[in-house]
Amino acid sequence: MSKASTRNVSVIVKATEEQVTDAVVDIFRQTIGEAVDARGLCTLALAGGTTPYALYLKMARVFLQDDVPWASVEIFFGDERDVPPDDIESNYGMVQRTLLDYLPIEPKRVHPMPTDAEDLAAAAADYEDQVRGIVPTGPDRLPCFDLILLGMGTDGHTASLFPDSPLLGEKSKLVAVDYVPKLGRNRMTFTLPLINAARHVVFLVTGADKAQPIARVLGDDSDRVELPSAWVNPRHGTLTFALDAAAAKLAGIQPQ
Ligand code: 6PG
């Protein structure tokens, strides 16, 4: 058993990517239902990249049959590339094509990051104001998302928090911009104070290429801190890693 279990981390491992995607759909369904029942509102932050593509398509299919209270759901994005929404690289554009175009959710409840703005730092501050204005605060008086979905890169980055980024030490900004040398691009991203204020954080990580970084994140070796994903540790919330068998292989965790 990985050491993660001693750190109040849940690890779900399923044999296939489709099975772990289904498990995350269930987590979304349960989270939305509980949040709306308890507080009349569910606030979500979605991840970009390619891994969640199948998840969003499945959510679109499944949630069309369910009576999800979309009038009580607000959707944000954990990070975004410095491209306009209609660019193929846009995380918002990907989520729109795979999920939002199929859901009866009003556009005013979907909050894309304004990364096509001239002044990205000012745009990040504006987005933070949107988050603060809509997402209720939690025990530490920070906006407390009901669920933040994260992916992880092969270098252990998550959202747009990359190894050696100065943003890893950010203590006050909740949304910030960082130039990513390896990409040669700017990114807008949630920072760790916001991510770690969430009620539930779920990593969806699949594929053999993520096995090594995931094993390090879930392990106890001191060098795990080189991986930004290892810095995700909700202060009052839950942390779940949803993995397929290929990603979990080196962590020594068998599919359930
Ligand atoms: C992004 C994502 C990023 C992603 C990882 C994993 O903007 O790219 O938010 O953090 O989750 O890079 O990406 P893949 O799912 O494509 O492996």
Side-chain angles (χ1 to χ4, degrees):
M1 172 65 77
S2 101
K3 296 278 187 187
S5 55
T6 64
R7 271 201 312 271
N8 187 26
V9 175
S10 304
V11 183
I12 298 170
V13 178
K14 297 293 183 187
T16 66
E17 178 177 5
E18 183 178 5
Q19 288 169 341
V20 72
T21 296
D22 289 345
V24 177
V25 172
D26 290 343
I27 292 173
F28 267 91
R29 179 196 283 111
Q30 185 178 348
T31 300
I32 294 171
E34 287 173 355
V36 174
D37 287 350
R39 293 175 292 281
L41 173 69
C42 179
T43 55
L44 305 172
L46 299 181
T50 58
T51 303
Y53 197 91
L55 168 69
Y56 298 145
L57 286 172
K58 187 64 177 282
M59 283 168 67
R61 283 202 304 278
V62 168
F63 288 165
L64 269 186
Q65 275 83 40
D66 287 0
D67 55 347
V68 175
W70 294 111
S72 304
V73 177
E74 299 281 346
I75 293 179
F76 290 80
F77 295 81
D79 74 319
E80 187 57 272
R81 292 86 181 273
D82 61 346
V83 294
D86 58 358
D87 188 290
I88 191 65
E89 282 290 307
S90 165
N91 287 334
Y92 163 71
M94 181 271 286
V95 176
Q96 189 177 35
R97 288 190 300 276
T98 55
L99 176 63
L100 300 176
D101 282 349
Y102 302 95
L103 297 182
I105 189 166
E106 295 173 272
K108 70 179 181 181
R109 299 192 188 289
V110 179
H111 309 278
M113 283 185 159
T115 50
D116 48 351
E118 272 302 303
D119 180 342
L120 282 178
D126 291 345
Y127 198 71
E128 177 170 330
D129 288 346
Q130 274 190 65
V131 169
R132 288 180 181 275
I134 294 171
V135 182
T137 55
D140 46 14
R141 295 191 301 286
L142 289 175
C144 177
F145 276 92
D146 289 296
L147 192 154
I148 296 179
L149 177 71
L150 295 174
M152 188 189 72
T154 53
D155 60 359
H157 83 261
T158 189
S160 284
L161 299 169
F162 286 79
D164 305 322
S165 166
L167 288 186
L168 291 174
E170 179 58 53
K171 296 279 185 279
S172 56
K173 291 190 183 84
L174 303 183
V175 181
V177 175
D178 189 22
Y179 175 75
V180 184
K182 72 184 287 189
L183 302 177
R185 305 292 295 269
N186 287 306
R187 289 282 192 95
M188 190 178 292
T189 185
F190 280 13
T191 60
L192 289 163
L194 182 55
I195 293 171
N196 286 331
R199 188 167 278 109
H200 302 292
V201 177
V202 177
F203 276 92
L204 173 59
V205 182
T206 61
D209 62 338
K210 307 289 176 73
Q212 196 265 2
I214 270 291
R216 285 179 64 192
V217 169
L218 294 177
D220 254 4
D221 292 346
S222 57
D223 68 352
R224 64 190 289 274
V225 295
E226 294 167 8
L227 308 181
S229 295
W231 297 48
V232 174
N233 185 21
R235 287 181 294 280
H236 309 286
T238 68
L239 176 58
T240 301
F241 285 86
L243 313 174
D244 66 356
K249 186 171 172 57
L250 300 182
I253 308 171
Q254 297 308 311
Q256 294 116 357

